[in-house]
Amino acid sequence: MTKQNKRAGLPSREQILDFISTSPTPAGKREIAKAFGLHAQDKIALKALLKDMGDEGLIDSAPGRAFHKMGGVPKVTVLRIVDADGDMVWAVPERWEAEGIPVPRLRVREQRGKRSALGVGDRILARTEEAGKGWIAHPMKKLAGGEEQMLGVVREEGGRLFLHGVDKKERNTYPISERNGAEPGDLVLANKAGKPPRIFAHVVERLGDPFAPRSFSLIAIHKHGIPNVFSEELLAEAERVSKQDLGAREDLRDLPIVAIDPADARDHDDAVWAAPDDDPKNEGGWKAVVAIADVSFYVRPGSQIDREARKRGNSVYFPDRVVPMLPEILSAEICSLKEGEDRAALACHIQVGKHGELKSWRFTRAVVSIAANIAYDDAQTIIDGPKSARALLDDRFAPGAEMRDAIEPALRHLWDCWRALNSAREKREPLDLDLPERRIVLDEKGRILSVAPRERLDAHKLIEDYMIAANVAAAKALEAKKAPVMYRVHEPPAREKLVALKEYLKTYDMEFALGQVIRPATFNRILELVGEADFRDEVMQQVLRTQTQAYYGPQNAGHFGLSLGSYGHFTSPIRRYADLIVHRSLVDAYKLGPGGLTAEEAGSMDRIGESISTLERRAMEAERETIDRYVAAYLSAHVGEVMDARITGVQNFGFFATIDGIGGDGLVPVRDLGTEYFRYDEASQRLIGEDTGEFFAMGQRLKLRLAEANPVSGALRFELPDGKGSASSGGGREERGRGPKRVIKHRGRPANIRHQGRKR
């Protein structure tokens, strides 16, 4: 806030927000000044305050210089029609810049008795009003131009060109009115226009071959509107800040700190070191350092780089590329902890007791020189045996080199300290979901070599536990200073989801008591009782669906899944804006130098948390869809083959199945199950034959023929090998026994949480 903003007659931010929200007419600077009785000398300060509020994301300006709350809709604005089906017409704002807040859909209310003259793609000037939890638009004037865009593939059918959408949910095709140089088979960006049933498309941009390497991620980038280009001005700013002198820092360059990452890692946020503690008060314990890239030193609040990073929220990782949150000179170069290079770090020094408890922590700004960047597989190889360690180290380093001789003992100390951390984790009994991650292996030209689950090693668990320890320390350190914390919140499951789980488990004759205190270990007991049964994966997925979605926010509600009371993300500031906020808060709270959290940021933590949570979900969806497209592309060469599969979902229109070891969900439509009528039982999630009692149920393993694999949409379609439901095709019998009844309660031995994927 500027000094001018503190003038006595100036309204507060809250007063301005309340006024523009309740004003019956558009509220610009003039209307705000009049409402609060401001004089000429106050209007300059008001202008500065409104600019500050805009920069903070509290307000946005509408046409005519009127203001509205960010995330709200201007009282008079331009809308674009996106759905015009019969009497129901829906529109979205043509301009929407509320970062991380979903674009609202407005119900268009036209004059009674008149059939709508509005079609998809039409633009209107409308007066808007908030009604309950939604919005209503009253058209004032139809405007020229404006059409809805979509990604699709051009197909030739009967001598005409049609557009097929790349989204699985887009089931319609549209005749192409303008091809703009596009040829059949091209991936294109097109505009939709017209009214049902006569909606057509014209090509705006030809993107090329949808099956070419790197096209699958390009589809996701365009579909989800992920920013993937940095401006020249921003790149120039990144170049300038990358040349900053590191200043006075704790010197940790003599420690053999190592960074353990995937072999194909694009950036290196973190590195670790541990050794036996020489403090007599921590006898038998350990001292450790978790060194994290000091991104807050380079990316200052309010800078152009910072605004773009907040807009992106996180890096997005695809098999063939990464869309980084920060420019490459920062994300892959000066901030990335690289072997043998001096790097700025925010170091978390922790004392670990002999039983794995965190006894103390402190944070410093440091300079580090990483002893080695080691792949998970290589780190595991070194630990597994002296002979393999010597061979691998001789391959990486010259025999007898000082650093070579330091690596193996450094790793062994890390493993010894980790065993203590892991012991404490087991006592905590976090949620134990061992969910495999599919790994897409590409050749140098981006072509698919294989699709397989990513191997899970102790090296993965080790790094995960060090990162969790540092994240806990960061949250508790900020709480001790009563400083703002961007928590990673995972709330306990909602009752309705627990009820659904109870009904699901009944189908396996397993009882689940709703009256018990629900802890993470409660779900671990379920999986222990299931054991290695064929349906274990399906029960695990159902337990996952029972959990709430984690999010970022400044109010602490704990992390249910990890069984932790305070948890913040600190360890990945190169790729997560949440972590950068935590770094800034630590820098400010502990007076560690420039780049600390500003008052404006501290006052906007709720809004920032909502935004980055939404952007994280966008990234996850884009990454998942791209994996599905790669899997479909890989399987397209196997259409017609019979494969081992298991049922992952059952609906009244058919069931979904996935191929063992590869993944990729595909549909078997109920119409393809033969002439017998199959009844859908929602409680047991089964399709049951009316005549024979044969059924298809969640978790069932069977053989299916791959009938279709669409790499562009990522969709698969299966069919039964003999074309009908039968015992030979894997259908069950309704009268088959279900086994003894089992009761699930919170008791028994501890279990671990182990999720495949990137570090927390």
Side-chain angles (χ1 to χ4, degrees), residues 537-604:
D537 287 346
E538 285 62 52
V539 174
M540 198 179 299
Q541 288 293 335
Q542 190 68 31
V543 169
L544 179 63
R545 283 191 284 268
T546 303
Q547 308 307 308
T548 59
Q549 190 165 39
Y551 62 90
Y552 295 105
Q555 282 78 43
N556 187 18
H559 197 294
F560 176 81
L562 290 174
S563 195
L564 291 168
S566 296
Y567 193 67
H569 272 172
F570 160 77
T571 54
S572 294
I574 287 177
R575 62 183 179 90
R576 293 190 304 226
Y577 197 81
D579 302 54
L580 178 55
I581 289 291
V582 170
H583 277 231
R584 286 175 178 167
S585 194
L586 286 165
V587 167
D588 180 58
Y590 286 89
K591 311 302 179 191
L592 300 179
L597 196 72
T598 65
E600 287 78 10
E601 286 178 309
S604 304

Side-chain angles (χ1 to χ4, degrees), residues 365-402:
R365 267 187 159 153
V367 55
V368 298
S369 181
I370 303 305
N373 290 106
I374 306 177
Y376 284 118
D377 291 353
D378 290 345
Q380 192 69 53
T381 298
I382 293 171
I383 288 298
D384 285 344
K387 290 183 179 179
S388 56
R390 282 195 296 271
L392 193 147
L393 290 169
D394 285 342
D395 187 53
R396 280 286 309 274
F397 302 95
E402 181 180 353

